[in-house]
Amino acid sequence: MANDISALADDVFSPPSDSALWRKDFLLGAATAAYQIEGAAQEDGRLPSIWDTFSALPGKVLAGDTGAVACDHYNRWESDLDMLSALNVDAYRLSIAWPRVMDETGRPNRKGLDFYRRLLGRLKEKGLKTFVTLYHWDLPQHLEDRGGWLNRDVAYRFADYADLMSRELAGQVDAWMTLNEPWCSAFLGYGNGHHAPGLANGRFATQAMHHLLLAHGMAIPVLRANDPVSQKGIVANIGRGTPNSGSAADRRAAHLFEVQHNAWILDPLLKGVYPEDLFELWPGTDPLVLQGDMKTIAAPLDFLGINYYFRTNVKSDGAHGFTEVPLEGVERTQMGWEVYPDGLRDLLTGFNETYAALPPIYITENGMASDDNVIDGRVDDAQRIAFLKRHLAAVDEVIKKGVDIRGYFVWSLMDNFEWAFGYERRFGIVHVDYDTQKRTFKRSAELIAKFLKERAARA
């Protein structure tokens, strides 16, 4: 396997001449999230978030790590943007920390707002497209204390937050994304407790999801009114489920896996309904839906962000659901996730056939974690290079089949706080030494920069 990966890594960014990657209008960028890189958790009026609370609880995060310092991006943002510029990327996806920009009464925190204004202004000076996520999981703790996403009122508070940000930052954002991966916020945060706020109840998960999607739907018209030139969308993480056998029961199990991972989010957004199969899988968990909610949730989108990482092989649990059956002999990342680019191709092709209202797509996250080390000043991340090559080839194949994909963002710009896995798992194309905060381009970053320089020269 190592020799195969090295061979794939050699020419990762030398795609065929007819590849969409050569098109200047196909965006290639890098992505981050506020809590994972910013640090400065108590500076300039920032309030506590649910992740500050959760990561401080013993046993919740690997090695007891927290995002209190992270990559210290809040204080090192200028040099980080110079680093980003050196990659020659077209666009940068970042998130705003809700607890940094508003106080408990909803009044703006000017110091926090000024940070993002400076950041976005410098990105525009550098000629980069700006993709901004409003909610990447860091709910202000004071809102969680009032019930969090189980409380319908938080959807209204999110609309207020979207109103403030789109008024303050109008003209500096090319694309607004309301939520990042509501599946993770709802299921991991409220369904099984693996993420903040750490609750574990099936009914909590479906109700939290409804309020997350309602918040999204309420925010879209606000964003349109305040910043009409920008694009508006949402980011969903998708998962490929494959049956462990050809039996009808296992095929049904794979279908149900994709219902709860994909259709749970995409059906309300693009069809205005929840999938009926969801409540076959999770009986008795129907959320409280008020009149007009589904119409609000299904507000037209300018684009859909898609995050993809791996597939899950499943079999029937003998009842109404599925259970995972890990495959042997497959390539896996440091996260233990199978490398399976065909899953991205299959899902995107299927969505194009299933959803008549499917908007243009950006791949807003794709990447892998590996145990990277700096040796003699260099980081040879051959597996990541091969991973990126294969997934970009899958994206190109889907484009040629007629799916409207406008760009691709590698996750992540730099190593960072990987939620419940702390700092052990490294997703970045730039290595971060957390003791010294030194940044080092990995080989993958060098190849990305080289390809994009060559593409610019051809334009």
Side-chain angles (χ1 to χ4, degrees):
M1 179 63 72
N3 290 336
D4 292 343
I5 289 173
S6 296
L8 283 166
D10 288 341
D11 64 345
V12 62
F13 293 116
S14 297
S17 59
D18 64 342
S19 171
L21 300 182
W22 288 108
R23 295 198 330 248
K24 186 59 180 174
D25 63 344
F26 184 85
L27 291 184
L28 284 166
T32 63
Y35 190 75
Q36 294 181 269
I37 67 168
E38 284 182 1
Q42 298 180 355
E43 291 186 30
D44 293 338
R46 180 187 178 278
L47 301 178
S49 79
I50 57 174
W51 272 96
D52 296 304
T53 303
F54 185 77
S55 59
L57 296 173
K60 295 298 184 181
V61 176
L62 194 65
D65 292 335
T66 77
V69 176
C71 303
D72 195 31
H73 175 71
Y74 188 77
N75 297 304
R76 300 170 186 266
W77 68 271
E78 292 181 277
S79 58
D80 282 345
L81 294 197
D82 289 340
M83 175 182 73
L84 179 71
S85 186
L87 282 169
N88 301 318
V89 292
D90 306 308
Y92 179 46
R93 179 184 172 221
L94 65 140
S95 78
I96 291 170
W98 190 350
R100 199 179 289 285
V101 295
M102 300 178 82
D103 70 12
E104 292 188 11
T105 69
R107 292 177 299 188
N109 174 21
R110 288 295 161 192
K111 289 184 177 180
L113 286 167
D114 286 346
F115 168 71
Y116 293 109
R117 189 175 288 109
R118 292 192 300 269
L119 184 69
L120 291 166
R122 185 64 57 83
L123 287 166
K124 300 307 286 185
E125 288 174 8
K126 291 176 174 292
L128 274 73
K129 297 286 187 183
T130 51
F131 281 61
V132 176
T133 309
L134 285 170
Y135 184 69
H136 201 126
W137 306 356
D138 46 355
L139 185 71
Q141 182 61 44
H142 67 88
L143 292 179
E144 180 59 37
D145 292 341
R146 293 161 52 187
W149 291 111
L150 298 178
N151 183 350
R152 185 182 176 92
D153 182 65
V154 173
Y156 295 89
R157 302 291 72 77
F158 181 80
D160 293 341
Y161 163 53
D163 180 49
L164 173 66
M165 299 314 301
S166 54
R167 283 188 286 108
E168 293 281 346
L169 302 176
Q172 291 187 294
V173 176
D174 291 292
W176 289 100
M177 293 156 285
T178 53
L179 308 176
N180 177 76
E181 300 185 350
W183 184 92
C184 292
S185 296
F187 186 76
L188 300 182
Y190 293 86
N192 68 11
H194 290 180
H195 279 188
L199 303 181
N201 182 294
R203 180 65 185 274
F204 287 177
T206 55
Q207 192 64 61
M209 176 65 83
H210 184 67
H211 292 154
L212 282 155
L213 295 178
L214 186 64
H216 154 80
M218 290 178 172
I220 289 292
V222 172
L223 296 171
R224 292 198 187 284
N226 292 342
D227 195 8
V229 176
S230 62
Q231 293 182 293
K232 290 82 182 174
I234 187 173
V235 173
N237 58 305
I238 60 172
R240 180 70 167 127
T242 56
N244 191 55
S245 76
S247 72
D250 284 0
R251 291 198 305 271
R252 179 67 177 169
H255 166 75
L256 290 174
F257 173 87
E258 293 193 0
V259 164
Q260 61 85 32
H261 210 97
N262 306 328
W264 186 16
I265 297 91
L266 297 183
D267 278 16
L269 292 171
L270 302 177
K271 294 182 177 180
V273 296
Y274 285 110
E276 291 183 8
D277 290 353
L278 182 68
F279 305 110
E280 171 192 330
L281 179 63
W282 295 332
T285 65
D286 307 51
L288 176 62
V289 179
L290 302 187
Q291 185 175 0
D293 282 2
M294 301 312 294
K295 183 178 180 181
T296 298
I297 289 170
L301 300 170
D302 297 323
F303 71 94
L304 175 65
I306 290 292
N307 296 352
Y308 172 81
Y309 289 97
F310 61 97
R311 75 156 163 180
T312 303
N313 189 66
V314 299
K315 68 176 182 179
S316 171
D317 65 0
H320 300 289
F322 56 83
T323 184
E324 182 178 353
V325 183
L327 295 171
E328 297 182 1
V330 299
E331 181 188 351
R332 296 188 181 277
T333 70
Q334 188 190 21
M335 294 291 289
W337 297 344
E338 181 190 359
V339 178
Y340 192 70
D342 286 354
L344 179 58
R345 180 200 63 201
D346 295 343
L347 288 168
L348 291 174
T349 302
F351 295 158
N352 203 43
E353 296 169 352
T354 300
Y355 297 106
L358 187 69
I361 290 171
Y362 289 93
I363 307 303
T364 38
E365 287 184 28
N366 181 234
M368 60 156 283
S370 57
D371 185 16
D372 301 319
N373 296 287
V374 180
I375 300 174
D376 297 328
R378 296 179 59 81
V379 181
D380 181 13
D381 55 340
Q383 187 186 14
R384 178 175 292 104
I385 295 168
F387 178 102
L388 295 174
K389 176 181 179 180
R390 286 174 282 175
H391 285 79
L392 284 164
V395 169
D396 190 50
E397 183 180 351
V398 171
I399 292 172
K400 289 174 181 175
K401 290 182 177 180
V403 183
D404 188 0
I405 303 177
R406 305 284 178 88
Y408 173 100
F409 292 77
V410 63
W411 184 270
S412 173
L413 170 62
M414 53 185 160
D415 297 334
N416 53 52
F417 178 78
E418 185 45 43
W419 307 112
F421 293 100
Y423 295 102
E424 182 186 84
R425 314 295 166 93
R426 294 181 176 271
F427 274 89
I429 57 173
V430 175
H431 182 277
V432 177
D433 182 321
Y434 297 112
D435 292 328
T436 65
Q437 292 295 342
K438 181 179 180 180
R439 276 73 158 140
T440 302
F441 271 31
K442 301 178 186 179
R443 179 60 177 157
S444 57
E446 294 171 351
L447 289 174
I448 288 170
K450 180 181 177 182
F451 164 70
L452 289 172
K453 183 178 181 179
E454 182 180 353
R455 188 179 75 165
R458 291 190 183 188

